[in-house]
Amino acid sequence: MANPFRGEVVRLYKNLLFLGREYPKGVEYFRDRLRAAFVKNKDVQDPEKIKQLIKRGEFVVKELEALYYLRKYRAMKKRYYETDE
Amino acid sequence: MTGRVLVGVKRVIDYAVKIRVKPDHSGVVTDGVKHSMNPFCEIAVEEAVKLKEKKLIKEVVAISCGPQQVQETIRTALAMGADRGIHVEVSGKDYENLGPLQVSKILAALAKKEEASLVILGKQAIDDDCNQTGQMTAALLDWPQGTFASEVAVEGDKVKIVREIDGGLETIKVNMPAVVTADLRLNTPRYATLPNIMKAKKKKIANVKPQDLGVDLTSRVEVVRVDEPPQRQAGMKVETVDDLVGKLKEAGRI
């Protein structure tokens, strides 16, 4: 598979795997789904399609970062600040 | 002004972990438990890095006190954009007894040594909830302090700080060098992604011992006992208002 995008795809996978360590449902749950998602697309050859999939992966990275931030922010807000009720 | 900012980062048990008290009630279980950077320290690092990106300050130095493992926390700060790290080695009994007084003495010594313009800390740690280190550090240095900061603006050799206080917001202007402690709404910390962590491996972490800074770590506080909070009593459902009044009378409430 001498695909020019191979490096980018592997890097994306590693970044997502790294992010998965903090996933609320557990790192195994995340890793299984991550692997399944990548394996499902392993035979894609069209460069346009690959670029699209990489973009989707990068989108997921941003979504995860936002998820982690919101979780933490909400937990801190709940623990340390009075709610007006 | 050197334009150097020191940021203190503390390694604490991760905020999402369920805390368990040791069977002998001497503390909480930390072995094998996930640790990470104190959330308020993350906000402090982010603020320092933001100031550097705006070219208002020149260098961000991340500092942590503790055993080998705190280097992970310093590495996270480096991945977020700090330029270099200082690991103050404290382990064993000294680490168990390390509290705000000792840490503030260490930070004060380092602030003088590094000729810092600003020391930014998290307002409190989520493990001990002391909310003292920033204040003590400022007092030891005889520097002005802006605590519970929700906004920080460097204006020449002064800092304008908006503080979150009970009545609302208070804006103060202090001379530099100063100590600032970060509150929740100060900023949104960036995530230390894998590529950034890889890049940060090239940055240096210096090792220092408290003795080298002339700091005495003796604690004046002794933890006597640690207990879990009392279990919440189960609620009771009643059918009528009279039942409710009856139960309240029984419980001696009315």
Side-chain angles (χ1 to χ4, degrees):
Chain A
M1 227 199 305
N3 197 308
F5 290 105
R6 184 183 168 72
E8 264 191 78
V9 171
V10 171
R11 235 174 304 144
L12 176 65
Y13 184 85
K14 284 188 185 161
N15 289 346
L16 281 164
L17 199 57
F18 183 77
L19 273 168
R21 296 166 318 152
E22 243 184 280
Y23 197 68
K25 280 191 157 154
V27 72
E28 298 87 1
Y29 178 98
F30 185 89
R31 196 180 39 223
D32 289 342
R33 268 149 199 78
L34 175 67
R35 202 175 284 144
F38 271 66
V39 159
K40 192 175 80 163
N41 293 307
K42 72 178 166 76
D43 291 321
V44 175
Q45 293 295 340
D46 173 22
E48 277 313 309
K49 278 229 79 192
I50 296 179
K51 270 199 263 187
Q52 248 178 17
L53 289 167
I54 292 177
K55 261 209 148 62
R56 197 201 301 173
E58 288 169 356
F59 175 74
V60 173
V61 167
K62 289 275 164 260
E63 289 275 283
L64 285 168
E65 289 179 11
L67 168 72
Y68 295 159
Y69 170 68
L70 279 171
R71 258 181 104 223
K72 193 179 284 189
Y73 178 84
R74 284 186 187 134
M76 293 298 112
K77 185 151 185 271
K78 190 166 168 211
R79 286 180 206 176
Y80 290 104
Y81 300 86
E82 290 272 313
T83 45
D84 305 306
E85 274 179 295
Chain B
M1 291 270 106
T2 56
R4 188 171 295 139
V5 173
L6 301 191
V7 184
V9 295
K10 187 177 181 189
R11 178 175 183 263
V12 298
I13 297 180
D14 188 80
Y15 83 97
V17 168
K18 182 156 174 33
I19 307 291
R20 283 183 303 133
V21 174
K22 285 193 199 154
D24 64 359
H25 294 275
S26 63
V28 299
V29 178
T30 54
D31 283 341
V33 171
K34 179 165 189 237
H35 284 67
S36 49
M37 190 189 293
N38 181 40
F40 295 106
C41 296
E42 288 177 351
I43 299 174
V45 174
E46 177 65 27
E47 197 60 24
V49 172
K50 271 196 159 80
L51 286 173
K52 194 179 87 154
E53 287 170 347
K54 288 189 210 160
K55 301 220 191 318
L56 293 165
I57 57 121
K58 297 211 193 85
E59 194 188 24
V60 178
V61 184
I63 303 169
S64 195
C65 308
Q68 242 337 79
Q69 295 96 309
V70 306
Q71 292 210 359
E72 278 167 38
T73 314
I74 301 176
R75 291 244 168 260
T76 306
L78 294 172
M80 287 172 73
D83 298 292
R84 58 185 167 92
I86 300 178
H87 171 202
V88 182
E89 293 174 20
V90 180
S91 47
K93 263 275 157 230
D94 281 337
Y95 183 57
E96 277 171 47
N97 294 330
L98 197 68
L101 182 58
Q102 294 76 23
V103 173
S104 55
K105 284 181 186 172
I106 292 171
L107 290 175
L110 282 169
K112 283 201 207 120
K113 186 164 175 255
E114 297 282 338
E115 294 177 319
S117 312
L118 220 52
V119 173
I120 310 182
L121 304 173
K123 72 165 181 173
Q124 68 197 76
I126 60 172
D127 53 5
D128 56 23
D129 286 319
C130 285
N131 196 319
Q132 295 165 353
T133 309
Q135 291 86 337
M136 283 180 174
T137 308
L140 288 167
L141 288 164
D142 198 24
W143 285 7
Q145 56 186 268
T147 53
F148 308 101
S150 65
E151 247 183 78
V152 172
V154 172
E155 296 168 1
D157 60 346
K158 296 201 201 293
V159 198
K160 189 179 84 171
I161 301 156
V162 178
R163 307 181 55 228
E164 295 217 7
I165 61 174
D166 285 347
L169 297 172
E170 177 192 64
T171 308
I172 60 172
K173 207 175 213 178
V174 303
N175 293 327
M176 293 220 275
V179 175
V180 173
T181 71
D183 210 323
L184 189 63
R185 280 169 270 262
L186 179 58
N187 59 48
T188 304
R190 66 199 66 189
Y191 199 85
T193 59
L194 188 58
N196 289 346
I197 294 200
M198 288 292 132
K199 272 188 254 168
K201 289 198 168 173
K202 298 191 203 125
K203 299 182 184 176
K204 290 208 161 34
I205 301 181
N207 278 345
V208 171
K209 293 199 176 52
Q211 305 95 289
D212 301 340
L213 300 169
V215 170
D216 169 26
L217 292 179
T218 349
S219 176
R220 296 155 205 204
V221 175
E222 183 201 337
V223 174
V224 172
R225 191 184 160 91
V226 176
D227 283 304
E228 285 196 5
Q231 298 285 10
R232 270 192 70 189
Q233 297 285 12
M236 243 189 299
K237 272 192 170 167
V238 293
E239 293 294 306
T240 71
V241 174
D242 288 329
D243 283 348
L244 176 62
V245 172
K247 288 255 185 266
L248 285 171
K249 281 195 172 148
E250 255 175 63
R253 296 291 190 176
I254 50 168

